[in-house]
Amino acid sequence: MTNAQLDTPVLILGGGVAGLAAAVDLARRGVAATIIEREPRLGGRASQFCCKATEACARCGACRLGELLVQAAHLPQITIYTAALAVAAQPQGDGWRVELSPQPGGEIGPGPGRPLRERTTLNTQAVILAVGGEAFNPAGKTRFGHGRVDGVFSALELEAMLSQGALGPDGLAPAKVAFIQCVGSRDASLGRLWCSRVCCGYALRMGRVIRKLLPESQVTFFHMDVQDYGRAWEDELPELRKQMRFVRAMPGEVTAGDGRPEVTYALAGEQAIKEGFDLVVLSVGLGPPNGASALGELFGAAKDSDGFLTTDGGPAGVFVAGAAAGPRSLNESMVHGGLAASQAASRVASLTEARHG
Amino acid sequence: MRLNDCDPGFKHEVAAEPGGEGIRACFACAACSARCPVGANRPDYDPRRLIRLTLLGRRDEVLSSPLIWLCSSCYTCGEVCPQQVRFTEVLTAIKNIAAREGHAPPSAKITAELLAKQGRLLEVTDFENDKRADLGLPPVEQRPGDFQAILGLKPAEGEAGEEPR
Amino acid sequence: MAKVSLVWVATPGLIDLDPALVAKAAGMSLDQGGLLEAAVVTTSLEQAPKQLRQRLVGLPVAWLELAAEVGGGPQAHRLARAAVAVSRAAGRAAKGTLPPVYAPQPAQSVLVAGAGFGALAAAWEAAALGHPVTLATPFDDAVQAGADDDPEAVSLLAAQLPAQVELVPHSELTRLIGGAGGFNVWLSTNGDAPQTYGAVFLAPPGELAVGCEVDGLDPALCCPVSELNPEDYEGPQDGWLHVAVLAGTAEPVPSYSFSAALEAALALARRPRVQVTLLFSEARVAAPGGEKLFRDCREAGVLMARVEPGKLSLRDGGRELAWLDPLLGEELELAPAALVLAQQAVAPRPAWLDNDLLIKPWDELVPDNPRLAGGRTSRTGLYLTGALRGTAPGDARRAEAASAAAAMHEVLTGKVVPMPVVRDSFCASCLTCVRTCPHGAPRYAGEHIQCAPAACVACGACAAECPAEAIAPPGWGNPEMFSSLEWGLALAPEPKMVLFACAASGMPAVASLSAQGHEWPAGLVIYPLVCAARMSQLLLLKSLELGAKRVLVAGCHPGNCRSVTGNHKAMAKITSLSGDLAALGLPPEAMEFLPLAANQTRELAQKVAAMAQAAGEE
Ligand SMILES: Cc1cc2nc3c(=O)[nH]c(=O)nc-3n(C[C@H](O)[C@H](O)[C@H](O)COP(=O)(O)OP(=O)(O)OC[C@H]3O[C@@H](n4cnc5c(N)ncnc54)[C@H](O)[C@@H]3O)c2cc1C
Ligand code: SF4
Ligand code: SF4
Ligand code: SF4
Ligand code: SF4
Ligand code: SF4
Ligand code: SF4
């Protein structure tokens, strides 16, 4: 049986904001691209994120996905296949020959793109790896009780709860909420000695949303340091300190208390405290993509010391964009997609020139 | 407290002592303090605080503090530490320095004396050995020699054997 | 040539001079507050009142510090000197007259004004996209790095610069008018003659500024991080040399400065018998490698001292520091032998940016708005790179230049939005559109309103504000909108309702709800807008007149509008009308603004359902 054949100047693996932005920027540059998304739907993580606006936009960037999806759907240079996985890749001539395999669960959804139906061989001159980063699985930090203690959620779950309206006057109405920062970040014992950049920002923003939805609620922010999450940070921080309780300590554990989770933490000069909360949110960090090694093998992509993919030192014609290359916010991932687009476009241009000249 | 009057070398000294290597990595997150069972019973016992004093170079204060002898060596602090400080062992290093400088508390001295005498904390008597014999177990010997060697009261056995008679 | 008028601002040195006499002596007319073609103003641009600057938007203007020119002496002499200076300036203003019309096609050339990595990256990217590029740099050559740049990266990039980049040394941008596809630009190397460029990148060379508390510090004790030579520090044989690194205890410092401070602390801590104390409020370790550096510093023996913001006390020029150690609850004191100060990258904001020519104050031109990420400004075709964007991690500066250049290329080559239609015979020359347009499209060119060929995004702000119905992007004028509204509402069953939905927020939410099979109330007319800025009082009232019981405008949350204030404008109009609704027998909620993000489908569905129910019960 012979595979279906496809030719594309640039192949983009991953249809999150970084991959979509790379495709849109390539189209702006007049270069066609094909996006291959593993899941049935485009959008990556951002598709589960809530809007974090209160009185004004909180600049979380989540809504920009909508803009990108509309652009990607309308630009004729962009082809999108969902539910597709690259299973083999070989350098061929100046570019790559990639085997794509359809994944189960692909239905034609409302968004742009259609599912890949058959095994396909794709020839391309450049590859952009925009497969995103892995959000830390909080089960890896057993002592925080995720999956064992009722009322403990990861921040990803909170994003989904907020966007579905599960939290608020009509849903869950926790009186006391705790955010525990740096879960799976800044942690040498896990071999994850990096700050994830995004979690201070998303946690403070979601904390503010909770305070707005439930003005009676009390929000506690267990942290070590607050990272800046945008230009407005300096102005906002004093205000946030009034709205929430900032506790500069990492809790020792989260246990099942009397019907609700209890957080054990210590303040300087005081004995350790066990405090009950109705909702404990673990601010999970961003790590290297799960399949980094598989992709590394597939395309020989280089990795940095933390395991993130990198363009530097990798094979010619393979570029990396977005959170796959290191912790990045949505806006930063989009802009980074623009860099990969520029690099891929100049490679395509120089190959074309070489062929004709 | 004036930092100029402290001993910045103390943290390096502790780090150079076996077990003390991790001390400087501490970033003061307080996870250990939250979980330490001794701290749960003694408000003045706080691993993070002891680390802080060491890092600040308050050498005399740390070495002469009765608190450093309270650790139960449960290893909980090392278990939860995100920076792999291994405070239990750090504290052992600090205690070793303290003991060398004569800061060991009376209880530690009594412990050492008992060990030197008996080779173990509890004396083994005929009572125990009779019981063991009933169960078909060999008797326990009092072998204080090893501890005497460790405590520097006599040369180690191997070395002693090589000594010319 | 344009007629030049004298705009008299009575600065202190001019009090005794009669403006009319000066104007007469210079052979020009004195401004009476009416419409101008070109002007000489008797003060500097910075000193001029804001209303005046606004009035002169888009006109050729010579700014003249007249008081300095006339000096002292008898009044008659001063009058004569004033007349001479003014008439000379009038010559300049007249020469500076704009080209009478924009070229019909967008200019493809790109100006990059500045130096350093950001400027080179922008020039490289624009050239790679096939645009002729002029790189106007204040230095001898483009290789000169900004103080905040990595010199190696700069020379590497400079070596790769393609030939179609024309370098203009010792040149600075002094003035700019127009919009995408047709900026008129004045360069210091080009005298009074403006040149036309399709797009402009601003990249003034970055500088390093001390980013933390410096008040009262003795300079003899201090050394900024960038000037630190660790070799100079060594402790005495029998003791320690204490060095304090101040890394942001007064107010937050961008994280890159923190990394640089960490690097400095690390280098110092590795010197013999040097004890480093790093004082900070938040450890800003989010930059790549920041956390590892933070740990390396601790391992090397740097003492980390977290200080409550604003609680570091500095005495004797910084020879005595004191703060509360939050871990011990004790006051700590330190008498450092030296203080190392963290720095942050800044770029001087070009002075002319605040002037009349761009209308918008800086915060509106460069709002902290997620839709204008990556160096875009609210003015189409104008982009920022380099230190103007603050400090950025890793290759982020390069990435921003790449992404801005792609957007620029699309604007100059792939325009799909046609130019606004201006009906000269209706136009009252009030310049409202010039002041209102967030994207810098319309400009007053002597006799009528013209639009820059690629600047308009069809937001409709001009159409909403123009008092004479003289300007609107095609399809967005009152007659067209009223008739389609009429058509839609005529077909809708009672209760009739209109949802005006902005293309960036309301419409995507509508689209994803529709795609999920959401059932809209039968009487709801969904009217897509490019931007909520198009909402005018007339449009709101027309909806009611045509039978709508409810009008809902779904636009972006404040701070998220691509046209910066389109949502605010719509909100303000709704608020101002809400008082009059009772007179029409309508409840106050008959007209509402719903701030929405594209992903807030649930909120939109709920709002529309509640609105339909209330309207049905009436
Ligand atoms: C809890 C949480 C909250 C966050 N909140 C915010 C926030 O509020 N604001 C913000 O700016 N950032 C936030 N972030 C960060 C944000 O998630 C990332 O910046 C962003 O998702 C990165 O985009 P991306 O396109 O690089 O990756 P992703 O969004 O992860 O997209 C990667 C895509 O690639 C696909 N893929 C993976 N492997 C393959 C493969 N082998 N082949 C094909 N396709 C593949 C995935 O299915 C996915 O669709 C948050 C992160 C977390 C964990
Ligand atoms: S950027 Fe975030 S907070 Fe702002 S409107 Fe969009 S989703 Fe809401
Ligand atoms: S962003 Fe904040 S929560 Fe996330 S790893 Fe960094 S410091 Fe921790
Ligand atoms: S090992 Fe010692 S310091 Fe650590 S938790 Fe146990 S008792 Fe506390
Ligand atoms: S848990 Fe580790 S890093 Fe945290 S305070 Fe204790 S020793 Fe320091
Ligand atoms: S429609 Fe908007 S962008 Fe176009 S000219 Fe009018 S105000 Fe400017
Ligand atoms: S088009 Fe309208 S807003 Fe613009 S100047 Fe003419 S009348 Fe004024």
Side-chain angles (χ1 to χ4, degrees), chain A residues 303-341:
Chain A
K303 286 191 270 173
D304 70 13
S305 58
D306 293 327
F308 290 98
L309 299 172
T310 158
T311 300
D312 300 336
V318 177
F319 309 99
V320 187
R328 268 184 182 75
S329 71
L330 293 166
N331 268 335
E332 287 169 341
S333 297
M334 284 180 242
V335 169
H336 202 234
L339 176 62

Side-chain angles (χ1 to χ4, degrees), chain C residues 422 426-434 449 462 465-471:
Chain C
V422 185
F426 284 53
C427 174
S429 295
C430 67
L431 301 192
T432 303
C433 52
V434 181
I449 297 294
C462 54
E465 308 289 328
C466 171
E469 299 196 12
I471 184 170

Side-chain angles (χ1 to χ4, degrees), chain A residues 49-54 56-65 205 208-209 330-331, chain C residues 369-371 504-505 555-561 595-600:
Chain A
F49 290 168
C50 61
C51 168
K52 301 173 189 74
T54 48
C57 163
R59 308 167 194 90
C60 76
C63 56
R64 293 199 61 207
L65 174 63
R205 289 169 172 133
R208 191 164 50 186
V209 170
L330 293 166
N331 268 335
Chain C
N369 178 324
R371 288 185 195 283
S505 48
C556 301
H557 286 278
N560 189 274
C561 172
L596 201 74
N599 53 4
Q600 286 183 306

Side-chain angles (χ1 to χ4, degrees), chain A residues 12-20 36-39 41-46 49-50 52 59-62 84-86 130-136 154-157 159 198 201-202 205-206 282 284-286 295 321-324 327-333:
Chain A
I12 300 173
L13 288 188
V17 290
L20 288 165
I36 299 294
E37 167 58 52
R38 187 183 55 188
E39 304 296 322
R41 259 191 185 233
L42 288 175
R45 288 212 185 291
F49 290 168
C50 61
K52 301 173 189 74
R59 308 167 194 90
C60 76
L85 197 64
V131 295
E134 153 257 8
F136 180 70
S154 89
L156 277 177
E157 291 163 327
E159 290 265 12
V198 294
Y202 73 59
R205 289 169 172 133
M206 287 199 282
L282 306 182
V284 292
L286 281 170
L295 276 169
R328 268 184 182 75
S329 71
L330 293 166
N331 268 335
E332 287 169 341
S333 297

